[in-house]
């Protein structure tokens, strides 16, 4: 094989991993453990879970025939065609490093400096923005604190104003109430100045203030006395009524007797007629009853007994009274 081609292939094989690493994104790796420690895989799930699935492992053996070592496959080199031509170029003929690299370096340095200046300006601008932001936040906080202070002051002023207004209203109410009480007291004193004597006089006239002895006589003794006098008068009236009825009956009997009185020549004949044996006791009993009634009437009503006549006519009246009382008793 051609040695330059072999070198090119080796160089390409060496550069392939580098290109692959360049193409792959750079991932931050875990730093090496410090001395005396080691990295151990740790479960970072929220809940611990025990892995209990085990893969079944089986050992197996196989005996094969021995193979001879196969030599490495040679590189494929295509067949050479054409003619080899070479040209000799001296140093400095095609490429001058200082001349060719100077504009590239200027561009690179200019771009780098410009980028650096932009970054510095951006950092300065960001720093100014942060400073302005801090100043704005401080100003806003100060204004917010001042606003809270003013609101609190306004609230205190309003509360003090409301409290003083209520105190003034309460004071006015108390003054009005005191004035009304004073006026009412003066009016009551003026009104009661003549009321108390009149009330006492009315109560005295109504009988609320009395002498206990006089009241006892009026409530206890006088009603008893009046009841006794009334009972006595009722008894007297009853006696008089009975006496009047007896007198009326006797008078009626005598009138009937006088109206039926016989001729004077015939008065003795009927007197000589024999009486039945039962008449005498009856007359005596009637006279005894009449005497008893007359004595009772004399006891109850003395003036009436004193007015009775003492002549024969009165005796006749007494007999007629006795007959009337007998009739009344029989009835």
């Amino acid at each position: 094989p051609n040695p330059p081609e072999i070198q090119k292939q080796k160089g390409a094989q060496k550069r392939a991993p580098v290109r692959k690493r360049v193409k792959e994104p750079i991932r931050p790796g875990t730093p090496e453990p410090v001395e005396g420690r080691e990295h151990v895989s740790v479960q970072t799930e929220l809940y611990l879970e025990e892995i209990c699935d085990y893969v079944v492992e089986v050992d197996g053996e196989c005996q094969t025939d021995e193979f001879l070592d196969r030599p490495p496959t040679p590189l494929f080199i295509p067949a050479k065609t054409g003619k080899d031509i070479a040209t000799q170029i001296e140093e400095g003929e095609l490429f001058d490093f200082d001349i060719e690299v100077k504009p590239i370096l200027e561009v690179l340095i200019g771009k780098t400096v410009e980028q650096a200046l932009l970054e510095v300006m951006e950092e300065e601008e960001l720093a100014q923005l942060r400073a302005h932001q801090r100043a704005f936040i401080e100003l806003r906080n100060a204004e917010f604190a001042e606003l809270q202070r003013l609101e609190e002051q306004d609230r205190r002023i309003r509360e003090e104003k409301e409290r003083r207004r209520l105190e003034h209203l309460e004071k006015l109410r108390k003054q009005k109430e005191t004035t009304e009480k004073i006026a009412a007291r003066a009016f009551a004193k003026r009104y009661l100045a003549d009321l108390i004597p009149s009330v006492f006089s009315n109560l005295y006239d109504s009988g609320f203030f009395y002498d206990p002895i006089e009241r006892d006589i009026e409530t206890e003794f006088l009603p008893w006395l009046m009841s006794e006098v009334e009972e006595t008068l009722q008894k007297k009236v009853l006696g008089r009524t009975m006496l009047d009825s007896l007198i009326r009956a006797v008078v009626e009997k005598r009138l009937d007797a006088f109206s039926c009185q016989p001729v004077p020549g015939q008065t003795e004949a009927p007197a000589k007629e024999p009486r039945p044996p039962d008449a005498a006791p009856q007359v005596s009993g009637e006279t005894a009853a009449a005497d008893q009634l007359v004595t009772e009437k004399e006891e109850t009503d003395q003036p009436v007994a004193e007015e009775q006549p003492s002549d024969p006519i009165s005796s006749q009246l007494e007999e007629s009274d006795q007959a009337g009382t007998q009739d009344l008793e029989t009835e």
Side-chain angles (χ1 to χ4, degrees), residues 258-311:
F258 284 127
S259 62
C260 297
Q261 189 175 6
V263 181
Q266 297 178 357
T267 55
E268 297 179 359
K272 294 180 180 180
E273 291 179 358
R275 293 181 180 178
D278 297 333
Q282 185 177 2
V283 172
S284 63
E286 291 176 357
T287 52
D291 293 336
Q292 186 178 359
L293 289 172
V294 170
T295 54
E296 290 178 358
K297 297 301 178 181
E298 288 177 356
E299 290 177 359
T300 55
D301 196 359
Q302 294 179 0
V304 175
E306 291 176 356
E307 291 176 0
Q308 292 181 358
S310 61
D311 54 358

Side-chain angles (χ1 to χ4, degrees), residues 20 23 71 95 114 118 146 148 176 193 206 230 268 271-272 277 285 309 326-327:
K20 189 180 291 185
K23 290 180 181 179
F95 180 75
E114 185 179 358
L118 289 175
E146 183 67 18
Q148 288 183 345
K176 184 178 179 181
S206 300
E230 186 178 359
E268 297 179 359
K272 294 180 180 180
Q326 184 178 1
D327 296 335

Side-chain angles (χ1 to χ4, degrees), residues 9-28:
Q9 290 177 0
K10 290 181 178 180
Q13 290 177 359
K14 290 179 180 180
R15 287 193 296 272
V18 176
R19 292 176 183 175
K20 189 180 291 185
R21 286 196 299 270
V22 170
K23 290 180 181 179
E24 292 179 355
I26 299 173
R27 295 180 181 177

Side-chain angles (χ1 to χ4, degrees), residues 200-220:
F200 276 103
S201 63
N202 291 331
L203 291 176
Y204 186 78
D205 296 337
S206 300
F208 286 95
F209 303 105
Y210 55 85
D211 188 3
I213 299 174
E214 183 180 355
R215 184 64 175 270
D216 191 11
I217 292 172
E218 290 178 357
T219 58
E220 299 294 336

Side-chain angles (χ1 to χ4, degrees), residues 164-215:
R164 292 191 178 184
R165 187 179 69 83
L166 294 176
E167 287 180 356
H168 183 66
L169 292 177
E170 185 68 18
K171 183 178 178 181
L172 292 177
R173 187 184 66 80
K174 288 183 178 180
Q175 288 181 356
K176 184 178 179 181
E177 185 177 358
T178 306
T179 306
E180 291 178 355
K181 286 183 179 180
I182 293 171
R185 186 169 179 271
F187 177 75
K189 288 179 68 176
R190 185 177 298 176
Y191 181 74
L192 293 175
D194 299 331
L195 181 63
I196 293 175
S198 63
V199 168
F200 276 103
S201 63
N202 291 331
L203 291 176
Y204 186 78
D205 296 337
S206 300
F208 286 95
F209 303 105
Y210 55 85
D211 188 3
I213 299 174
E214 183 180 355
R215 184 64 175 270

